Amino acid sequence: MLDSLLVPTAIVALAEIGDKTQLLALILAARFRKPWPIIAGIVAATLANHAAAGAVGAWFGSFFSNATLHWILAASFAATALWTLVPDKMDEDEASTARKFGPFLTTLIAFFLAEMGDKTQVATVMLAAQYPDLWLVIIGTTAGMLIANVPVVLAGNFAADKLPLTLIRRLAASAFLILAIVAVYKAMESSGWV
């Protein structure tokens, strides 16, 4: 049960470092200089986005046998490991949203949209398909998002400039690769191969 919380937290926290939503957090912090409404917007947007992704993952997982699901998860985790190695860039549309609304609403809208199809949303779908406690997965992925983004909001440029992003991306990719290997083992075990 604790795995449903701790693994998603660690995976998303690592994967989020250097991600476009972290860049968005930095831009919003510099623009508004009001950290608490920004953090509240991150929490609300992430919970909504990851709850939807988690529901899709749990629903998706119900259609397949254990072995098939683990093979799909192994391929998805391996693909996400490769995707994690590619640095994200900030889209101009996401940055311009800040001009229209206050810090909370801007963060809520921008983070929700920035997470659509992002690797942490895809990871949430996969983790929810793998772990039985859906709400713990959602809480874990949200906590991981906060672990990566709240320091950026609070510390601004200082924290972002000092992080070894290449190393962190490699660590996150390694974590996804380990999950892929574990999923392969579970698929082989479910298939009766081991």
Side-chain angles (χ1 to χ4, degrees), residues 52-63 69 124-125 127-132 134:
V56 168
W59 173 75
F60 182 76
S62 69
F63 286 107
L69 180 60
T124 302
V125 170
L127 291 163
Q130 182 175 6
Y131 290 101
L134 175 61

Side-chain angles (χ1 to χ4, degrees), residues 120-153:
T120 50
Q121 185 188 43
V122 172
T124 302
V125 170
M126 294 183 298
L127 291 163
Q130 182 175 6
Y131 290 101
D133 298 307
L134 175 61
W135 287 107
L136 288 179
V137 170
I138 294 166
I139 291 167
T141 57
T142 301
M145 186 75 105
L146 293 174
I147 288 168
N149 287 305
V150 168
V152 171
V153 172

